[in-house]
Amino acid sequence: MTGISPSLGPTPAGPASDRQRVSASRRLLRQREPLLVVLTLAVFLVTFAVNSGFGTSGNISFLLADAMPLAILAVGQTIVCIVRGIDLSVASILGVAAVSTGFLAQDHNASVWLMLPLALAIGTCLGLVNGLFVVFARIPPIIVTLGTLIVYQGIQLLICGSQTVVTVPTSYITLGNRNLFSDIPYMLVPGLVVTVVMAIVLRRTSWGRSLYAVGSNADAAFRAGIRVNAVLVSAYTVCGMLAGLGGLAFLVHYDSANGQSGIETNIQLWSIAAALIGGTTLTGGKGGVVGSFIAALFLEVTIEAVIVLGVPQVWDSAAVGILLLAAILADRYQTSGISLRQALAGPFHRGPQFGHEHGTGRRR
Amino acid sequence: MNIATQPPKPARRGLRGLDTNTRWLLSLVGILAGELLYFNLAVSSFWGGGWGSSNSLLGYGEYFLFTSMMSLGVMFVIFAGDIDLSVGAMSGFAGVMMAEFHLGGMNIWLAVVLSVLLCAVIGLIQGLIITFFKLESLLVTLAGWFILQSAAVAWEGPVPPYNLPSGFESALGTGTIAGTVPNQLIVFTVLAVLATLIVHRSRFGRQLVLVGHNRDAAAYAGVRVSVTRIRAFVLSATFAAIAGMCVAATYGTARDDLGPTLLLPAITAVVLGGVDIFGGAGLVPGVILASFILGWLTPGLLQDGVSDTWTSIAIGILLLGSLTVKGMSDRNQGTTLRERLRARLGSDPPSLPPTPANTT
C-alpha cells in the first residue's frame, strides 16, 4: 500500500492493481513458493554456519528423504483443502498402507513394485469411503474424517494384532535410505513425481480447474455444469491414494511400522500445517501442491535445525505451531494487499479492510 | 432453542411434531437405555462388584468422566461456530503445571486453582489471537496444541512428576462418597449443571448460540461477537484444565501425553450429542448423554469380550452412522415418505451438495 498513487483513491486492493504498483522483488515474495524457498535456504544456511555438519551430503540427502512421507501427504491434503475440505484420516490411511505392505514384505518377501499398486489401492478405497460419506451422508468433512481416523486406526491395529513390522527386505532399505546419485535419495523421486504430476493436473486439466471452482463456490460450480459431487468424491479419493503412497514411503524410509504408525506423530496435523504454510487455505479455491511440497521440506529443515542449534527436541512441535501461526498471518498479508504493519495491527489499521469476516466464519 | 428461520409448519402429532434437537435427545436416551439394558442382561460382569466397587456402573466413571468434562468445554466453542483443538494438550499442560507448582513447594490446592486460572488466560490469549487477527480457530488452536504440548514436555523433564498427595488423588481422582458415588461424578455434575445453565438459561448463552448460528445477524443485533467467542475459548480452556486435574489425580501422575488422546473422544461426544459442528444449534443434555453412551460403551464392550480395537472401531462407526441418520432425519423433517419420493422422482432440480448457504 505504500506506493499507492492518489489517483487510484479508494479502489479496492485487488490482485490486478497490486501487480502494477509493487516492485518485482516484492511481487515475487508475495507469492508463497519463492518466499518459502528463500526461508528454507536461509534456515539451512544459518544452521550450516553454526554447525558445518548440517551441510554434509549425507545430511542433505537424509533431510530430503525424511521429508518425503510428509510431503506426499501434504500434496493430498492440499487437494482436499482446495475443495474446501479437510482430511484428518490420512494418518490412519498411511498407517494401514504401511502395515499391510510391511507384513507382506516381512513375511513373504514381497517386492516393492508389487506393493506400490497395493498401497495405492488401499489408499484409494479408504479415501473413497471418506468422499462418499462427505457427499452422500452430508456430514462435515472434519467430522467424517475424524470418524474414519478412528475406524481406520482400528483396522490398522487389527492388521497388526500383537505384531509389528521390524525387518523388511534389503531392497526396501535401499530405496528408503540410499541415494540415486550424489545427494539425491531415491525417496525424492516419488515425492517429486507426485508433486509435479499433481501441479500439472491442477493447472492444465479440467478436473484440476473444477477443484478450484468447487472450492471457491460450489453453488456456482454446479450451475456452471460441474458435477460437484463427483469432484468432491474424487478429491478425497486422490488424497487417500496419496496417503497410501505415503504409507509405503513411510515403510521404506523407517524400515518398520506398527499399530501406531502415523497417528503417534500426528502426521495428519503436520500435513495440514504443511499445506497451509504452503499457501493453501481452509476456505477453499486457493493454493497449489508445489507450495505444500516446499513447505514440507521447510518444516523438516526447520525441525532438524532447531535440534542442531541446540534447542531441546521437545520444542520442535512448538516451532511448527509458531510457523503455522506465522503462515496464516502471512496469508492475510499476502492476499489482501495490505502492508505487514497493517496486518499486524489487526482491526485497528486504517486502510482497506481485509475481508468482512463475519459472514465467512462458517466452515463446512 | 432452534432459531432456524423456517416457516411455521402445521403441528404434527407424535415424534414428528418435535423439533430436531428434542428428537435427537430422545434418541440418545433410547440408545443409552438400550446400551445399559444390553450390558446388564448380556454381560454378567458389567455390574461386577455392585454399586460400590470400581467395577460397576458408577465406578467406570473414572475412565471417562474427565473426557466428558472436556466435551462440555469444547461444546461452548463449537456452539459459537469455532473449534478448539488445543483442549487435549491444554489438559496435559495444566496437569504438568499443577504438579510442578506443587513440587516447587506450593500447596496442592493453591497449585490446582492457579493452574486452572493460568489455563483460562491461555484460552483468552488464543481467543484474542483468533478474533483480533481474524484467523481460523482450527489453525490457531492447532498451533496452540503444538506449543502447549512442547511446553508440557519441556517442563516435566525426563521424569514426569508423580507422587502427588494422596488427599488430592482421592479428592479429584479415585475417591468416592460413601463408597458409592465417585468424587469425579460430583465434579462433573457441577460442571454439567453449570454448562446447561450457561448455554440455555443465560444471556451469554443465547448470544453464544446466535453468534454460532449467524455472525452477521448477531453483530447487527448488537451482540459483541468477538467478546462472545473469546469467552467461549476461556470456558473451553478452563474446563479442559479442570479435566486435566482429574486426569492427574486419577493416574497419580502428570504427563504431557495423557491429554491429547482425550481430544478425539471429547469432540466425538459433542458431535454425537447433537451439537451442530457449524455452531448455533444443539442441547447440552445431549452432550452429557452422548459422553455417557461413549463412556460406558468402552468398559461394557471390553467386559463383553470385545477387543479394545473393535471398541474403538465401534465408536467411529457409531459417530458416522448416527450423524448420517441424524442428517437424513433433519432434512426430511416435517415431510412424509410420499412427499420425499415425489420430490425425488418428480421434476424438481436435484439437490445441491452442502454449502454454507444451504446446510442449515
Side-chain angles (χ1 to χ4, degrees):
Chain A
M1 288 310 295
T2 44
I4 189 165
S5 68
S7 64
L8 280 173
T11 312
S17 56
D18 242 10
R19 215 164 286 148
Q20 289 158 4
R21 50 192 149 71
V22 283
S23 66
S25 64
R26 258 323 257 297
R27 202 163 68 222
L28 201 60
L29 289 187
R30 283 244 159 133
Q31 289 177 344
R32 187 57 64 85
E33 290 87 354
L35 181 68
L36 274 174
V37 171
V38 171
L39 281 177
T40 313
L41 287 178
V43 171
F44 182 81
L45 289 176
V46 167
T47 320
F48 181 57
V50 174
N51 184 341
S52 59
F54 200 64
T56 58
S57 63
N59 193 48
I60 291 175
S61 70
F62 168 78
L63 288 176
L64 289 175
D66 204 42
M68 280 314 112
L70 176 61
I72 296 171
L73 248 62
V75 168
Q77 191 71 254
T78 307
I79 292 165
V80 174
C81 287
I82 288 173
V83 295
R84 215 188 247 210
I86 192 166
D87 193 344
L88 296 177
S89 71
V90 286
S92 300
I93 297 179
L94 175 142
V96 172
V99 297
S100 348
T101 54
F103 279 117
L104 285 173
Q106 177 173 265
D107 301 340
H108 304 287
N109 206 4
S111 140
V112 177
W113 306 113
L114 274 178
M115 291 301 99
L116 182 64
L118 178 69
L120 291 176
I122 290 173
T124 308
C125 292
L126 298 183
L128 182 65
V129 173
N130 283 339
L132 291 177
F133 262 111
V134 168
V135 168
F136 293 109
R138 298 195 193 177
I139 310 174
I142 187 169
I143 301 301
V144 169
T145 53
L146 174 66
T148 51
L149 174 73
I150 302 172
V151 174
Y152 298 164
Q153 165 67 17
I155 295 175
Q156 185 185 349
L157 286 168
L158 281 182
I159 293 172
C160 282
S162 56
Q163 294 171 306
T164 56
V165 180
V166 282
T167 48
V168 292
T170 340
S171 59
Y172 285 69
I173 301 173
T174 309
L175 275 182
N177 298 291
R178 298 283 183 275
N179 287 343
L180 187 59
F181 51 84
S182 67
D183 289 349
I184 307 299
Y186 283 111
M187 286 283 284
L188 194 60
V189 176
L192 268 184
V193 167
V194 160
T195 311
V196 170
V197 167
M198 287 318 300
I200 294 171
V201 164
L202 285 182
R203 271 182 183 278
R204 298 281 173 211
T205 65
S206 66
W207 179 75
R209 300 320 297 170
S210 60
L211 286 176
Y212 287 93
V214 169
S216 302
N217 188 334
D219 281 347
F222 179 79
R223 308 250 176 247
I226 293 173
R227 293 187 303 162
V228 172
N229 286 349
V231 168
L232 283 173
V233 172
S234 64
Y236 286 91
T237 312
V238 170
C239 177
M241 186 179 78
L242 292 179
L245 180 64
L248 190 60
F250 181 96
L251 177 75
V252 297
H253 183 59
Y254 294 104
D255 310 327
S256 66
N258 59 42
Q260 298 292 328
S261 294
I263 203 162
E264 67 183 342
T265 50
N266 277 318
I267 200 165
Q268 77 277 26
L269 301 177
W270 290 76
S271 72
I272 295 169
L276 294 160
I277 291 173
T280 307
T281 58
L282 284 182
T283 42
K286 189 172 163 291
V289 293
V290 178
S292 311
F293 180 83
I294 303 173
L297 282 178
F298 172 58
L299 285 177
E300 173 72 25
V301 170
T302 311
I303 286 163
E304 296 296 327
V306 163
I307 297 169
V308 170
L309 291 176
V311 183
Q313 197 185 353
V314 296
W315 291 105
D316 64 357
S317 55
V320 176
I322 292 165
L323 287 174
L324 186 60
L325 276 180
I328 45 182
L329 268 176
D331 199 52
R332 282 261 168 273
Y333 163 57
Q334 289 188 316
T335 56
S336 53
I338 57 171
S339 75
L340 186 60
R341 217 165 96 196
Q342 285 170 330
L344 289 176
F348 296 131
H349 77 80
R350 288 168 300 179
Q353 282 287 324
F354 49 86
H356 182 56
E357 290 301 304
H358 285 313
T360 57
R362 296 175 77 97
R363 303 176 311 271
R364 68 164 284 263
Chain B
M1 233 351 270
N2 193 352
I3 47 175
T5 53
Q6 289 165 344
K9 288 186 176 129
R12 286 174 184 275
R13 278 171 302 160
L15 281 177
R16 286 191 176 281
L18 297 171
D19 79 18
T20 321
N21 286 324
T22 321
R23 273 194 304 170
W24 188 246
L25 198 62
L26 285 177
S27 329
L28 287 176
V29 172
I31 295 175
L32 185 60
E35 178 188 336
L36 288 181
L37 196 65
Y38 172 75
F39 285 148
N40 279 332
L41 294 179
V43 189
S44 58
S45 56
F46 188 68
W47 282 87
W51 285 99
S53 79
S54 65
N55 202 11
S56 73
L57 194 63
L58 291 177
Y60 290 130
E62 71 180 62
Y63 299 112
F64 68 83
L65 279 173
F66 36 75
T67 317
S68 309
M69 296 174 201
M70 202 180 277
S71 301
L72 289 176
V74 190
M75 180 191 70
F76 292 113
V77 175
I78 295 183
F79 261 122
D82 289 308
I83 197 153
D84 190 347
L85 295 183
S86 69
V87 283
M90 183 81 76
S91 76
F93 179 71
V96 170
M97 180 155 63
M98 179 273 298
E100 292 293 339
F101 280 160
H102 175 63
L103 292 182
M106 195 185 282
N107 174 289
I108 185 81
W109 294 109
L110 191 61
V112 167
V113 172
L114 194 61
S115 327
V116 172
L117 286 179
L118 283 176
C119 281
V121 172
I122 298 173
L124 175 72
I125 294 171
Q126 283 191 353
L128 281 172
I129 292 176
I130 290 163
T131 53
F132 189 82
F133 295 118
K134 297 179 177 170
L135 301 177
E136 291 258 3
S137 54
L138 180 79
L139 302 176
V140 175
T141 54
L142 179 60
W145 170 351
F146 285 162
I147 295 171
L148 283 172
Q149 175 140 23
S150 275
V153 178
W155 202 349
E156 75 183 7
V159 182
Y162 59 99
N163 234 348
L164 298 169
S166 59
F168 165 73
E169 286 182 12
S170 134
L172 286 180
T174 49
T176 56
I177 288 177
T180 311
V181 185
N183 289 342
Q184 272 187 11
L185 190 61
I186 308 291
V187 179
F188 174 74
T189 311
V190 171
L191 291 180
V193 170
L194 202 64
T196 314
L197 291 180
I198 288 176
V199 173
H200 296 311
R201 285 286 177 274
S202 80
R203 181 187 149 92
F204 165 68
R206 288 192 293 277
Q207 293 179 341
L208 185 73
V209 175
L210 179 57
V211 165
H213 188 74
N214 188 333
R215 274 186 202 155
D216 282 334
Y220 286 123
V223 176
R224 290 179 300 170
V225 173
S226 300
V227 175
T228 311
R229 289 170 70 197
I230 292 172
R231 279 187 185 175
F233 280 102
V234 171
L235 280 169
S236 165
T238 311
F239 277 50
I242 295 171
M245 298 300 132
C246 293
V247 173
T250 307
Y251 292 107
T253 174
R255 285 172 45 177
D256 65 283
D257 55 352
L258 290 177
T261 51
L262 307 181
L263 173 74
L264 295 186
I267 293 183
T268 307
V270 177
V271 176
L272 186 63
V275 177
D276 188 345
I277 191 72
F278 300 122
L283 292 174
V284 181
V287 176
I288 298 168
L289 281 173
S291 75
F292 276 88
I293 291 173
L294 293 175
W296 277 320
L297 191 65
T298 310
L301 286 180
L302 287 177
Q303 297 279 339
D304 203 1
V306 179
S307 76
D308 204 5
T309 312
W310 277 109
T311 309
S312 80
I313 294 181
I315 289 175
I317 291 176
L318 182 69
L319 174 70
L320 289 176
S322 59
L323 283 178
T324 310
V325 171
K326 178 169 190 280
M328 285 201 284
S329 83
D330 285 1
R331 279 192 298 279
N332 298 334
Q333 190 189 7
T335 60
T336 60
L337 182 64
R338 206 170 63 182
E339 286 165 3
R340 289 202 296 277
L341 281 177
R342 185 178 295 160
R344 174 141 296 194
L345 302 174
S347 56
D348 294 342
S351 52
L352 286 174
T355 63
N358 59 12
T359 36
T360 40

